[in-house]
């Protein structure tokens, strides 16, 4: 009896201790922050089915890189702002602007580019401490027609002029209360003043079909966070390239039917899993770096816009 009483008291003490020691304390950030593209990402998720329609699942279409700026003003939330951009991780920075402008060299071997932006002013704090902000969700896509003329003089595909598509739509993101970014002692881990926040929005496809169509038709390569590549000091015949490390994020794809072998095996089915696409969830995870204030005329200081 005494043994069980002691175990009970130890269990209660452990629960109380876990509640008393927070893992990631929340903060009330003030000022302007830059989104760290090396440690931020957005998951693009829609509804799907597997097992021939019997099981509903969430399907990650792709993972995007994120950049932008966020401004917090807790005294006057209306002066706060969220401005961030999501794009394929073919580069560390977006290769097109929100207006569709692009440098010609980026189109040398690609026929399209996609950009998804969110712009909002102000936020409302919910009863559970999260931040709700409403603004414009803008999808920009630049396409080019491609012509293939195989023959003896074939020199590769011929791309037509850029065609710019830009469509805005109102959306609401709800962000978790910002928390202090942890430090693990790693070389490129969070510096002083950096914070973490995650948020999401749920877009009904019927309300914003252009967004869903663009996201589905875009190639989203894996995102490598905190990538660090080093070349060996000595290069020999067995050299296979630089050694790279980092956190690898990728979309696993739809579940595939288990394959069996045998004389009566009919082959795999193409409709084992299917995308339904009634909604698109954008789940954003951002690490924010504080922007140092600039000295203005008259000795005043202010955060960068």
């Amino acid at each position: 009896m005494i043994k069980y009483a002691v175990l009970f008291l130890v269990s209660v003490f452990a629960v109380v201790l876990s509640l008393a020691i927070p893992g990631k304390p929340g903060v009330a950030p003030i000022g302007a922050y830059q989104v760290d593209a090396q440690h931020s990402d957005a998951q693009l998720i829609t509804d799907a089915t597997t097992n021939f329609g019997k099981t509903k699942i969430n399907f990650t279409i792709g993972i995007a890189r994120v950049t932008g700026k966020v401004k917090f003003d807790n005294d006057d939330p209306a002066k706060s702002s969220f401005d961030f951009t999501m794009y394929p991780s073919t580069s560390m920075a977006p290769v097109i602007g929100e207006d569709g402008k692009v440098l010609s060299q980026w189109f040398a071997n690609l026929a399209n580019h996609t950009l998804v932006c969110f712009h909002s002013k102000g936020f409302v704090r919910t009863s559970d401490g999260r931040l709700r902000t409403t603004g414009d969700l803008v999808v920009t896509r630049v396409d080019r027609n491609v012509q293939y003329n195989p023959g003896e003089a074939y020199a590769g595909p011929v791309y037509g002029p850029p065609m710019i598509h830009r469509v805005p739509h109102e959306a609401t993101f709800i962000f978790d209360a910002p928390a202090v970014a942890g430090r693990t002692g790693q070389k490129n881990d969070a510096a002083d003043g950096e914070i973490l926040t995650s948020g999401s929005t749920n877009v009904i496809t019927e309300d914003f079909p252009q967004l869903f169509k663009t996201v589905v038709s875009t190639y989203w390569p894996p995102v490598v966070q905190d990538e660090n590549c080093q070349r060996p000091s000595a290069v020999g015949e067995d050299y296979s390239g630089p050694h790279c490390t980092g956190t690898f994020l990728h979309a696993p794809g739809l579940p595939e039917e288990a394959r069996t072998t045998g004389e009566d095996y009919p082959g795999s089915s193409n409709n084992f899993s299917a995308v339904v696409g009634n909604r698109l969830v954008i789940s954003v995870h951002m690490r924010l770096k504080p922007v140092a204030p600039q000295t203005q005329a008259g000795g005043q200081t202010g955060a960068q816009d």
Side-chain angles (χ1 to χ4, degrees), residues 103-116:
L103 298 177
S104 58
Q105 58 264 36
W106 282 107
F107 269 139
N109 299 308
L110 296 175
N112 58 67
H113 284 291
T114 296
L115 203 67
V116 180

Side-chain angles (χ1 to χ4, degrees), residues 73-256:
D73 190 328
N74 294 288
D75 295 331
D76 188 356
K79 295 181 180 179
S80 301
S81 61
F82 292 79
D83 292 285
F84 55 88
T85 298
M86 298 157 280
Y87 56 98
S89 61
T90 49
S91 65
M92 285 305 302
V95 299
I96 64 173
E98 189 173 337
D99 55 2
K101 292 182 179 179
V102 59
L103 298 177
S104 58
Q105 58 264 36
W106 282 107
F107 269 139
N109 299 308
L110 296 175
N112 58 67
H113 284 291
T114 296
L115 203 67
V116 180
C117 304
F118 180 70
H119 309 290
S120 71
K121 298 291 184 181
F123 68 80
V124 176
R125 197 175 298 277
T126 64
S127 58
D128 57 358
R130 296 193 292 175
L131 311 180
R132 178 190 290 114
T133 181
T134 300
D136 289 331
L137 186 64
V138 184
V139 57
T140 301
R141 183 174 174 88
V142 180
D143 293 299
R144 300 173 73 189
N145 292 324
V146 185
Q147 295 181 355
Y148 298 92
N149 298 309
E152 294 182 0
Y154 179 68
V158 177
Y159 296 98
M163 296 177 293
I164 301 173
H165 312 276
R166 181 183 183 276
V167 183
H169 190 275
E170 186 179 82
T172 297
F173 272 85
I174 299 180
F175 287 91
D176 295 334
V180 177
R183 297 184 65 90
T184 63
Q186 298 296 326
K187 179 180 178 181
N188 294 317
D189 202 15
D192 292 339
E194 293 188 4
I195 59 177
L196 302 173
T197 186
S198 298
S200 64
T201 185
N202 189 358
V203 181
I204 304 301
T205 302
E206 185 178 358
D207 297 335
F208 199 180
Q210 299 90 342
L211 175 65
F212 182 80
K213 181 180 178 181
T214 298
V215 168
V216 170
S217 60
T218 296
Y219 169 61
W220 303 95
V223 173
V224 181
Q225 293 185 345
D226 199 18
E227 184 176 8
N228 182 24
C229 295
Q230 296 181 349
R231 294 179 179 274
S233 56
V235 178
E237 294 181 356
D238 58 346
Y239 175 68
S240 59
H243 177 69
C244 299
T245 60
T247 303
F248 188 78
L249 305 176
H250 76 290
L254 289 169
E256 295 183 359

